[in-house]
Each structure stands twice: as structure tokens, then as C-alpha cells.
Amino acid sequence: QLWVVSVQKGKLGNEKRDLALDALVRNAGGRREFIVAASALESYMRQYAAALTSQYEITYRRPSRSAKIVQTGVRREGAKVIASLTAPQ
């Protein structure tokens, strides 16, 4: 998983970097956040620490080669599924 926090005031400073980070987060699973002041960084780091200490890793295999879609979800309010598009190596 990739967790990215960008401190950004105003418009995008480097569009190519932002496109690359967005693609990495989308493909690897994770979160991308934008903040406008470095003083908010501690709050985000605390959120990430809490999320990292309460994660589950679930790995499963397809019963046959015919199944190509895996659906995931959660029922508990406030819980989120963060999934990668590729299997762990």
C-alpha cells in the first residue's frame, strides 16, 4: 500500500508527479491526501498510524481459472476496504 500526503498551497506544482502518484495509489491501494499547511501533518500521521495498526491482510486463491472478479466489502460503519490491483509478491 502507498499512503501519500502532499502539502500543497494553491494549484498543482508538478502535474506529472501528481498524475504518477495518483496512478501508484490507485494501482497499489492506499490513500492520497492534500493538506494546505504543514501543521496538519501530525494529525494525518496519527490517522495513518491508527489505520496501520488495525489492518487485516487477507489472501485467497481462485477455485478455478474461470473466476476473474473478486468483490470485497465491509458492513461496519466507518470501515474501509483498501485493496491493491495486484497480488502480493
Side-chain angles (χ1 to χ4, degrees):
Q1 287 186 352
L2 178 66
W3 298 60
V4 178
V5 176
S6 297
V7 178
Q8 183 173 319
K9 297 175 184 172
K11 66 179 191 137
L12 297 176
N14 185 331
E15 188 174 340
K16 288 182 181 180
R17 181 197 65 195
D18 288 321
L19 289 172
L21 288 174
D22 286 343
L24 285 168
V25 169
R26 184 176 55 253
N27 292 327
R31 287 177 55 178
R32 177 102 197 263
E33 304 287 348
F34 294 92
I35 58 175
V36 295
S39 59
L41 194 56
E42 182 179 350
S43 172
Y44 277 96
M45 292 299 109
R46 289 185 189 280
Q47 289 177 30
Y48 289 160
L52 290 171
T53 58
S54 62
Q55 284 188 17
Y56 295 92
E57 180 176 335
I58 302 171
T59 305
Y60 41 95
R61 297 176 191 257
R62 293 185 286 183
S64 69
R65 290 282 181 212
S66 63
K68 294 185 179 183
I69 296 175
V70 174
Q71 294 180 328
T72 60
V74 294
R75 292 185 179 171
R76 190 176 72 204
E77 179 134 357
K80 293 181 182 178
V81 173
I82 300 174
S84 171
L85 297 177
T86 57
Q89 301 297 321

